[in-house]
Amino acid sequence: MKNKKYQKQTIPYLLLIFVILGVLLFYNFSQFKITEFTYDQLIVELSNETVKKIEITPKNSAGVYTISGQLKEYNVNESFKVNVPLSESVLEKILNYVEDSDIEVVTKTNPENNGFLVILLNIIPYAFLIGGTVWLFSKISGSNKNSMDFGRSKAKLSDGGGSVKFSDVAGLIEEKQEVAELIDFLKNPKKFQKLGARIPKGVLLVGPPGTGKTLLAKAVAGEANVPFYYISGSDFVELFVGVGASRVRDMFREAKRTAPCLIFIDEIDAVGRQRGTGLGGGHDEREQTLNQLLTEMDGFGANEGIIIIAATNRPDVLDPALLRPGRFDRQVTVSLPDQKEREAILKVHARDKIFDNSVNLENISKRTPGFSGADLENLLNEAALLAVRRNKDSISMNEIDEATDRVLMGPAKESRKITDKEKRLIAIHESGHAVIGLKLKDANEVHKITIIPRGMAGGYTMMLPKEEKIAIMTKNELLATITGLLSGRVAEEIFLKEITTGASDDFRRATSIARSMVTEYGMSDLGPVQLEHKSEGVFLGRDYNKSKNFSDAVALEIDQEVRKIIDSCYKDATKLLKENEKLVNLLADTLIEKETLTREEIIELVETGKLSGDNNPEDLKNQAKKLGIKGYTKMSESELIKAIENSKK
């Protein structure tokens, strides 16, 4: 079988060699036409003065002269050749015909007298031929070797010398303890075996994107003194059948040789999805790869000393056989960081950056709930880029605020021209949202209002929870959220006497919350019954398939309950905005003038009805001087205000 395969691979190359040689021979023989003359014919042509050029080359060994040349009627690729006796009388006779004519005469030396030329003409062609053959067969054997390595594992090996350590991973205290236990077991297994403990064969890191799952695995590589293999789930699956399973086998075979060791599989959902799902059935090659992975993790063969760490943000699509004890015994949820963890993450990413005295990382952490570690790193990086763009020596709160808005909504479109009517409309809309946040008991706090367009939004109101808590909300808080979302449209109706398309996204979010209250949370007159829940198809998309456990009659009642919640919140928003008409207009007028209002400015407007320090830069500088703010003389008015506010905090 191997010889036949080798012959099939070499035959095309041999045919190619013969074709090239044939073309070269044909080219050499077809390009040049040489006519053999006798001595008498040459004398006749010389006497008739039809010769244009002759070349005389002596050949001592043969005792003759070789005379070649061209007639006047010849083309460029035509010539004649004649061998004459090596005699001075013969040569003199020929030269007599040449003397009185315009014939070009060239006399060459005997090539046989030049040893180097002989070598060049006789040996070099054979050397080229042999060298080309050797190179060709080496390429053939190389391609054959690569084809044999096609099923080899793509896992990369690190000997535990990674640059990322646990000190570089801020927060995630419990998560680090879980993976640190694995490293401790690999270093000192007797401590665990003494009490009969079995270390988990696999640890699955689960969490939203950007929370630090891969970073945690890199820290394990940096802390461990054992071989560490890392690979992506997509590296297993290929077009050809059996390659994925072969790579899984090869990866574990290599790991056994270096055990004890760690294997990290990133994005394992690429290969670990549920089998037999989808409209057309499963992907056979991917399923075979998963079957091999299941067998290697906990099959008949023992893989002692091999611990697998995998990461995914879609644990719901993983095959149940992959998650059972004996394979992935432990699931570690890497969730979004809380306020203290966000502050620690900010400190890690702020190590190599220069900040102004006005920057307070604790305040930034309080203003960024819901940010992942990747979001916080991006926030500080955006702030640093803005500072460089503005030719500053340090990063100030002005850049931090702008970077926060860029991460949330995108860059500001300050060059976009907005008519006065449109600016008034957006200001009224956003002021409506803000007043609900200021006056409604269970609503979120208003931290910022802006009418500067960002992304797809003409403006936005930043509202954050009054205190950070886990993902549990009361019914009153949900109703207050819906009321706040509807208040933009209500403000348009009351103060502009017209409605716009600007509230479309508010309606979508409000309707989604109201429907979840009725069908999932049991917060309606239908009672504590879950009528709907998401049943995400693995290959059908997130919300393509939604389980509905109710009849058409109940569907009508659900719609009525949703409508009842929306109408009630709409009435509450209308009542609240009419009671605070002056505040809505005050916020809108100030927004039209300043375009952006911070939380401190909003509170000052609510309490005093005006902003202090407006158009009074000397007063601001005096305050900054008293508070000991460095570099205040070079700050703009807005930067001075923010620096003073942060210093007072």
Side-chain angles (χ1 to χ4, degrees):
M1 289 295 293
K2 187 177 290 186
N3 291 333
K4 289 183 178 180
K5 186 175 181 180
Y6 180 77
Q7 290 174 1
K8 288 181 179 179
Q9 291 177 342
T10 55
I11 286 174
Y13 294 103
L14 293 175
L15 290 175
L16 180 62
I17 292 173
F18 286 122
V19 169
I20 293 173
L21 291 175
V23 170
L24 291 174
L25 290 173
F26 176 79
Y27 178 80
N28 288 330
F29 285 105
S30 63
Q31 287 288 80
F32 301 99
K33 183 179 179 182
I34 301 174
T35 305
E36 295 283 348
F37 277 7
T38 63
Y39 174 71
D40 294 334
Q41 285 177 311
L42 175 62
I43 297 300
V44 171
E45 295 294 344
L46 288 171
S47 61
N48 294 334
E49 297 183 353
T50 57
V51 178
K52 180 173 66 175
K53 176 183 178 182
I54 61 173
E55 293 181 356
I56 303 173
T57 304
K59 289 190 175 181
N60 294 333
S61 60
V64 295
Y65 283 101
T66 299
I67 299 176
S68 60
Q70 289 182 316
L71 302 181
K72 293 181 179 179
E73 61 184 14
Y74 280 2
N75 295 325
V76 177
N77 59 344
E78 290 182 313
S79 63
F80 66 82
K81 186 175 76 170
V82 58
N83 293 323
V84 298
L86 186 60
S87 171
E88 293 184 3
S89 59
V90 172
L91 182 60
E92 185 176 351
K93 185 177 182 179
I94 294 172
L95 293 176
N96 288 334
Y97 283 102
V98 175
E99 284 181 359
D100 299 329
S101 65
D102 57 352
I103 299 174
E104 182 182 350
V105 180
V106 178
T107 303
K108 293 186 175 181
T109 59
N110 183 11
E112 294 181 359
N113 295 332
N114 192 336
F116 177 75
L117 188 61
V118 171
I119 295 174
L120 188 66
L121 295 176
N122 293 283
I123 298 178
I124 295 300
Y126 295 103
F128 271 110
L129 182 62
I130 295 171
T133 305
V134 172
W135 176 81
L136 187 60
F137 278 96
S138 67
K139 295 295 289 184
I140 294 173
S141 61
S143 63
N144 185 45
K145 182 180 178 181
N146 291 336
S147 65
M148 295 299 291
D149 290 343
F150 198 72
R152 295 290 299 273
S153 170
K154 290 188 176 182
K156 298 179 181 179
L157 175 63
S158 171
D159 291 328
S163 59
V164 180
K165 306 293 183 180
F166 279 157
S167 58
D168 299 314
V169 183
L172 304 180
I173 298 174
E174 292 81 7
E175 292 83 352
K176 285 191 286 188
Q177 289 176 351
E178 294 287 339
V179 293
E181 185 180 81
L182 304 179
I183 300 173
D184 192 22
F185 173 82
L186 292 171
K187 291 180 178 179
N188 187 15
K190 293 183 179 180
K191 183 174 72 173
F192 294 84
Q193 296 169 354
K194 183 178 179 181
L195 296 178
R198 178 184 64 82
I199 201 69
K201 291 186 177 180
V203 176
L204 183 65
L205 304 178
V206 178
T211 50
K213 300 183 294 295
T214 305
L215 182 66
L216 191 60
K218 289 181 180 178
V220 172
E223 297 286 347
N225 290 323
V226 295
F228 185 92
Y229 295 87
Y230 53 98
I231 190 173
S232 172
S234 60
D235 288 333
F236 291 112
V237 183
E238 289 284 354
L239 173 66
F240 304 104
V241 177
V243 172
S246 174
R247 289 179 176 175
V248 172
R249 288 192 295 270
D250 187 68
M251 180 179 70
F252 278 89
R253 188 183 304 114
E254 291 294 326
K256 287 178 185 177
R257 295 175 183 173
T258 57
C261 64
L262 290 167
I263 298 176
F264 174 63
I265 305 176
D266 199 8
E267 305 296 344
I268 195 174
D269 52 278
V271 70
R273 287 175 177 250
Q274 295 180 22
R275 293 165 290 181
T277 53
L279 292 175
H283 187 291
D284 186 64
E285 164 62 8
R286 183 190 54 77
E287 289 191 1
Q288 297 307 317
T289 306
L290 174 59
N291 290 337
Q292 187 64 46
L293 181 61
L294 296 175
T295 303
E296 293 289 346
M297 288 188 70
D298 187 25
F300 286 102
N303 289 319
E304 297 296 336
I306 300 176
I307 298 176
I308 299 176
I309 303 175
T312 181
N313 52 22
R314 293 295 307 276
D316 53 306
V317 304
L318 295 180
D319 195 272
L322 194 64
L323 303 177
R324 74 161 176 81
R327 288 181 179 136
F328 282 107
D329 305 84
R330 185 180 297 176
Q331 292 189 29
V332 178
T333 302
V334 185
S335 55
L336 292 171
D338 58 19
Q339 188 267 320
K340 290 184 179 180
E341 289 177 327
R342 288 197 299 274
E343 183 180 356
I345 293 171
L346 287 169
K347 288 180 179 178
V348 169
H349 294 301
R351 289 174 181 172
D352 57 344
K353 295 178 175 62
I354 302 173
F355 291 96
D356 189 73
N357 292 332
S358 62
V359 176
N360 188 321
L361 295 180
E362 183 180 358
N363 291 338
I364 298 173
S365 67
K366 292 178 180 178
R367 295 169 49 186
T368 51
F371 275 51
S372 66
D375 292 331
L376 294 171
E377 190 274 336
N378 188 35
L379 185 150
L380 293 184
N381 185 61
E382 287 287 346
L385 292 174
L386 285 169
V388 173
R389 197 178 303 166
R390 295 172 180 177
N391 296 320
K392 290 189 173 182
D393 297 329
S394 60
I395 304 170
S396 67
M397 279 304 299
N398 194 18
E399 284 75 42
I400 296 291
D401 289 338
E402 175 65 20
T404 305
D405 294 339
R406 290 172 71 93
V407 172
L408 290 174
M409 304 292 294
K413 300 182 179 180
E414 297 177 351
S415 60
R416 180 185 294 177
K417 293 184 179 180
I418 303 176
T419 62
D420 293 339
K421 180 181 178 181
E422 190 176 11
K423 185 178 286 189
R424 176 73 181 174
L425 190 151
I426 297 172
I428 287 292
H429 183 100
E430 299 302 332
S431 298
H433 288 310
V435 168
I436 296 299
L438 292 167
K439 298 298 181 180
L440 197 59
K441 178 183 177 182
D442 295 304
N444 291 334
E445 287 184 345
V446 181
H447 279 254
K448 186 177 184 179
I449 317 172
T450 180
I451 58 172
I452 298 174
R454 288 182 181 273
M456 299 298 293
Y460 77 98
T461 302
M462 181 189 292
M463 301 178 70
L464 302 176
K466 295 177 182 177
E467 56 183 3
E468 196 162 351
K469 56 183 180 179
I470 59 176
I472 294 178
M473 298 184 70
T474 65
K475 181 179 180 180
N476 288 335
E477 289 173 341
L478 291 172
L479 292 173
T481 303
I482 295 173
T483 304
L485 291 169
L486 299 175
S487 58
R489 167 60 65 85
V490 174
E492 294 173 3
E493 285 186 348
I494 295 175
F495 301 102
L496 300 174
K497 308 302 181 185
E498 60 180 341
I499 57 178
T500 70
T501 60
S504 59
D505 187 62
D506 297 333
F507 292 160
R508 179 188 62 81
R509 293 162 60 192
T511 305
S512 177
I513 295 172
R515 188 171 187 87
S516 295
M517 289 175 66
V518 176
T519 60
E520 296 181 44
Y521 308 146
M523 295 180 178
S524 69
D525 293 340
L526 295 181
V529 180
Q530 189 178 58
L531 301 169
E532 228 173 45
H533 67 275
K534 293 180 182 178
S535 178
E536 298 180 359
V538 178
F539 296 106
L540 300 181
R542 287 186 176 273
D543 300 320
Y544 183 87
N545 186 20
K546 205 168 188 179
S547 178
K548 299 179 179 180
N549 303 318
F550 50 81
S551 63
D552 292 340
V554 176
L556 177 61
E557 293 184 29
I558 292 173
D559 293 339
Q560 290 173 346
E561 289 295 323
V562 172
R563 170 61 62 186
K564 188 188 297 183
I565 292 174
I566 296 294
D567 289 344
S568 174
C569 292
Y570 201 90
K571 289 178 181 178
D572 292 341
T574 303
K575 179 183 177 182
L576 205 56
L577 291 182
K578 285 182 177 180
E579 292 174 354
N580 295 275
E581 181 177 351
K582 291 183 179 179
L583 181 57
V584 173
N585 287 319
L586 176 63
L587 290 173
D589 293 339
T590 311
L591 274 173
I592 292 172
E593 179 184 353
K594 295 180 67 67
E595 292 188 335
T596 300
L597 292 174
T598 63
R599 173 163 176 76
E600 291 74 16
E601 292 172 333
I602 295 168
I603 293 174
E604 188 175 358
L605 281 173
V606 173
E607 293 177 351
T608 64
K610 63 178 182 178
L611 292 178
S612 63
D614 287 347
N615 302 320
N616 190 1
E618 291 300 325
D619 187 28
L620 290 174
K621 289 181 179 179
N622 290 332
Q623 291 185 50
K625 184 177 180 181
K626 291 179 181 179
L627 293 170
I629 298 174
K630 296 181 180 179
Y632 69 90
T633 55
K634 298 180 180 179
M635 293 183 184
S636 63
E637 183 179 337
S638 60
E639 290 176 332
L640 275 171
I641 293 172
K642 291 177 181 178
I644 291 170
E645 291 169 355
N646 290 321
S647 182
K648 288 180 179 179
K649 289 180 182 179

